[in-house]
């Protein structure tokens, strides 16, 4: 189902970061479904969370514990512990307590994350029973296993690795993520865990992650739904030989660019694995008045079921793209200034179908499984790219049958 | 495909209003595809149009001509004359000129409307050739034929009729509409034409229609897309024996209530015929801070592909409804105060699944083909209802294959 090449990369160790997985049997399938990540003692940790007003219980706990210099992450797949009321909060806290007991840490240094079905009680007993196995497995080379343990409807594990040079020393950045549907970014839940051995203080790390999420995970959409559980965590162990990365430095720029790049690649992997996806669509909006306008137009196109079904059908239906641009809420829009391209084929110009456009040229592009839709608004200088996928029969099938 | 009973009603004549249809052969199918409506000389006429920034050519012309005491409406199905640039404007104007010549009227007293495929030149020659036939057919009892002539992907003609009492005299209101997909309201285009023999001045008629559209067509959604061509026209011939309806009078209240009721019934018929619809969903939001908040929450639920596919699957997946409420942009939302009902079954209370909820009770409701989802926000007094339908395989099929 996934679009394009989706192999899991070789991922080197990140000094100071260890991962262990275990099988709690939360769903019937026999697969590792819990993941413990342990950070070295002097690590810093940043996180961004869903904007859904109804956060799942683990999100509340993770937000609160972020202030207590977290040392451990506890992630389970198969159950979202969302819409579970007061009991859900107790269950999230209990999971943290149990892990803390086993690693002789403090419960408020554990960040919990859950993904899976909403509204069913978290099976704390099963999770607790599997914790010793996960802790025993803690090792720095478990990135592939970790990426698999957090999967739900994903069809492939998602990982990205990058090594950068900070003042002559190598710094490693590894990231894993899971999607796969209900991504705006969000629901069915997007989770991403990124680790580096860089040395960087928490406020600057948080600033970096917030920026990176804005430029990556917040610019993708599968179906416009926003999860109660989404989260992205960035951990920095400080165990590399590189000097501390400080605000305003050239090193910070290199580091931030690398984090953005890792987040973008993970975000793209999530869209490639969008539920039922057969095509990856890059919606590039240029010549907007401001960045915010470019994002809004891009997302309006990316959310349109009509546009998405047309792409599924490989139909170069530019009228639907134009109509989406028209309803995206721009003031004083001049239709005649808008140009639309499918890859390098101009399909709309001067308020209608481009004179030199041919159905053959359009069809040739639409038959590809990765397509860039470029919309030039003719209003300004701002540009932005939004990623999405098409809307297929299988999207309906996967989401109609999710609980059966 | 349509949900529920959709018979065309008996519609009495509306004094002063005549309709004639003709076959221009715009698409390959042999059906009447043009409709001319003629109003008596002293008629008043109001209209509301799509909010899409890219209006189709006929919308521009109709908006301009509304100021010139319109006497005729010229509607074609099969071609939207949208995204057709300068030529499209010429074609819309030419159609009006040709009709005016045949009826010895002024071209600027004709309001043109088009619905169908976007981006293909309007076949003016075909339309012009069919005009004499349509004019010859002008008669007051052609409501059923008129409703059929404006259909595109609709599976049944949509009509509503109502007789009210104004100062002891009967006043008739007839309305027809076409959908069927891409309704927010909008695209694939929603058109509605309503006629009455009431006597009422234009500004008050416009005020009445604007209110009625806000309470009806603007509260339905099939897929969140907004057409370039949507329009709703309200014609008042003044040919009844009832006295003029004036602002602030009791008669105006009766009249406005009737217009709202007709618009609501037509809007509901459009949703029942939503592309691929198997279920009609009434999203009732109560206890909101303001009306605007109730509408926003209702539309967020109604637009959610996850909610809509769950309904298609008859799956009482309240987590998806709750997640949609949570991402609808309310400030200071308290999850614990929210209650959600499927018909009369309470499914969410106190931040999670209601204690007394059973899957059997939820399943029993979900098996129905008309379901009311009631969301009580626990924040205030405002309430609103939004209508939508489910998202099925057939929605994808219809829209993937629309041009093939």
């Amino acid at each position: 189902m996934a679009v394009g090449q989706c192999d899991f990369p070789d991922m080197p160790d990140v000094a100071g970061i260890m991962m262990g997985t275990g099988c709690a049997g939360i769903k019937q399938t026999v697969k590792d479904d819990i993941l413990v990540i342990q950070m070295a003692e002097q690590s810093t940790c940043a996180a961004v969370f869903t904007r859904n007003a109804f956060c799942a219980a683990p999100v509340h706990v993770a937000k609160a514990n972020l202030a207590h210099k977290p040392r451990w992450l506890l992630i389970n797949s198969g159950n979202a512990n969302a819409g579970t009321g007061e009991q859900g909060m107790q269950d999230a806290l209990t999971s943290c307590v149990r892990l803390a007991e086993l690693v002789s840490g403090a419960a408020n240094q554990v960040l919990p994350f859950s993904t899976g079905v909403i509204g069913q009680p978290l099976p704390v007993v099963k999770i607790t029973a599997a914790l010793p196995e996960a802790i025993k497995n803690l090792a720095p080379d478990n990135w592939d296993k970790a990426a698999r343990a957090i999967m739900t409807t994903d069809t492939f594990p998602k990982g990205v690795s990058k090594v950068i040079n900070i003042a002559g020393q190598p710094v490693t950045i590894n990231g894993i993520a899971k999607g796969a549907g209900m991504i705006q970014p969000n629901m069915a839940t997007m989770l991403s865990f990124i680790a580096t051995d860089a040395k960087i203080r928490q406020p600057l790390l948080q600033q970096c992650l917030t920026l990176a999420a804005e430029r990556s995970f917040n610019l993708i959409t599968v179906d416009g739904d926003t999860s109660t559980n989404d989260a992205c965590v960035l951990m920095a162990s400080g165990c590399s030989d590189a000097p501390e990365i400080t605000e305003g430095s050239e090193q910070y720029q290199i580091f931030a660019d690398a984090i953005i790049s890792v987040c973008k690649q993970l975000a793209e992997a999530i869209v490639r694995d969008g539920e039922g996806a057969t095509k990856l669509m890059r919606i590039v909006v240029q010549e907007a008045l401001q960045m915010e306008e470019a994002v809004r137009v891009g997302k309006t196109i990316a959310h349109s079921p009509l546009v998405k079904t047309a792409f599924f059908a490989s139909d170069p239906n530019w009228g639907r793209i134009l109509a989406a641009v028209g309803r995206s809420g721009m003031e004083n829009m001049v239709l005649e200034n808008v140009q639309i391209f499918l890859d390098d084929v101009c399909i709309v110009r001067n308020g209608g179908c481009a004179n030199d456009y041919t159905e053959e040229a359009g069809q040739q592009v639409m038959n590809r499984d990765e397509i860039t839709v470029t919309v030039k608004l003719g209003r300004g200088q701002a540009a932005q790219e939004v990623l999405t996928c098409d809307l297929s029969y299988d999207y309906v099938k996967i989401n109609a049958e999710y609980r059966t």
Side-chain angles (χ1 to χ4, degrees), chain A:
Chain A
M1 202 87 73
V3 183
Q5 286 297 316
C6 311
D7 295 335
F8 198 80
D10 285 328
M11 292 177 76
D13 299 353
V14 175
I17 304 290
M18 298 210 290
M19 289 143 293
T21 59
C23 177
I26 294 170
K27 290 198 117 179
Q28 288 81 342
T29 49
V30 180
K31 74 177 267 282
D32 283 358
D33 51 10
I34 67 166
L35 165 65
V36 173
I37 303 181
Q38 177 171 291
M39 297 171 250
E41 199 164 351
Q42 59 286 78
S43 298
T44 54
C45 183
V48 290
F49 297 97
T50 177
R51 291 174 187 165
N52 194 305
F54 299 153
C55 296
V59 173
H60 285 289
V61 177
K63 276 181 176 173
N65 288 357
L66 194 60
H68 300 285
K69 295 182 186 280
R71 291 278 315 281
W72 296 273
L73 272 50
L74 169 54
I75 305 120
N76 75 272
S77 58
N79 182 305
N81 193 11
T84 42
E86 185 51 39
Q87 186 60 47
M89 285 298 292
Q90 284 305 324
D91 292 342
L93 290 167
T94 302
S95 308
C96 294
V97 170
R98 295 283 169 271
L99 175 58
E101 286 167 357
L102 291 168
V103 294
S104 306
N108 64 7
Q109 288 186 299
V110 180
L111 306 185
F113 302 90
S114 296
T115 175
V117 175
I118 292 184
Q120 294 180 6
L122 189 73
V124 186
V125 173
K126 286 183 180 178
I127 291 172
T128 303
L131 281 176
E133 177 197 358
I135 292 165
K136 196 187 74 194
N137 289 337
L138 280 170
D141 59 352
N142 276 333
W143 286 98
D144 181 89
K145 283 184 184 161
R148 289 177 195 279
I150 62 175
M151 287 167 60
T152 52
T153 55
D154 304 66
T155 67
F156 65 91
K158 298 160 186 71
V160 173
S161 184
K162 215 175 179 74
V163 177
I164 56 175
N165 182 319
I166 296 290
Q169 299 294 332
V171 160
T172 303
I173 301 167
N174 281 1
I176 57 174
K178 57 88 51 183
M182 326 186 202
I183 300 291
Q184 137 82 338
N186 312 319
M187 173 100 194
T189 305
M190 184 216 98
L191 291 178
S192 179
F193 304 100
I194 304 166
T196 175
D197 49 7
K199 191 180 282 125
I200 178 170
R201 292 185 197 192
Q202 204 280 340
L204 191 55
L205 192 70
Q206 182 66 50
Q207 182 183 316
C208 177
L209 178 62
T210 301
L211 173 72
E214 205 56 54
R215 299 260 181 98
S216 57
F217 299 116
N218 289 342
L219 293 174
I220 62 175
T221 176
V222 167
D223 55 18
D225 274 283
T226 302
S227 160
T228 52
N229 292 55
D230 293 337
C232 176
V233 179
L234 174 56
M235 300 161 271
S237 70
C239 292
S240 81
D241 292 329
E244 181 184 331
I245 295 169
T246 53
E247 192 160 7
S249 67
E250 193 188 331
Q251 277 79 18
Y252 175 71
Q253 207 46 60
I254 294 168
F255 179 74
D257 286 348
I259 295 293
I260 292 170
S261 165
V262 166
C263 287
K264 277 189 163 181
Q265 288 178 68
L266 290 172
E268 181 170 321
I270 287 171
V271 176
R272 285 183 186 279
D273 203 12
E275 289 173 345
T278 74
K279 286 185 203 291
L280 178 76
M281 295 149 61
R282 296 176 198 278
I283 315 292
V284 178
V285 179
Q286 299 175 343
E287 303 178 359
L289 278 181
Q290 323 90 9
M291 178 78 93
E292 185 274 335
E293 179 173 278
V295 172
R296 195 171 66 243
V297 172
K299 287 197 173 177
T300 306
I301 298 169
H303 286 166
S304 164
L306 288 174
V307 171
K308 291 158 86 84
T309 47
F311 274 76
F312 169 57
S314 299
D315 174 9
N317 193 321
W318 54 270
R320 294 183 181 178
I321 301 171
L322 200 59
V325 174
R327 70 182 167 84
S328 59
M330 281 175 293
E331 304 250 322
N332 306 315
M333 191 62 218
V334 181
L335 175 59
E336 283 65 30
N337 294 346
V338 175
Q339 295 180 70
I340 300 178
F341 296 77
L342 299 175
D343 283 351
D344 55 350
V345 176
C346 184
I347 186 162
V348 170
R349 196 188 290 128
N350 295 327
C353 190
N355 283 333
D356 52 351
Y357 173 75
T358 64
E359 280 279 328
E360 295 69 42
Q363 195 59 59
Q364 206 175 350
V365 174
M366 291 302 283
N367 293 341
R368 298 171 189 159
D369 64 359
E370 296 192 32
I371 301 165
T372 299
V373 178
T374 304
V375 178
K376 298 186 180 185
L377 297 175
R379 288 158 65 86
Q381 307 291 323
Q384 192 49 269
E385 179 179 306
V386 174
L387 291 185
T388 191
C389 56
D390 57 341
L391 173 58
S392 69
Y393 295 119
D394 280 328
Y395 174 84
V396 177
K397 186 176 161 69
I398 291 167
N399 284 298
E401 296 174 0
Y402 185 56
R403 303 207 312 174
T404 58

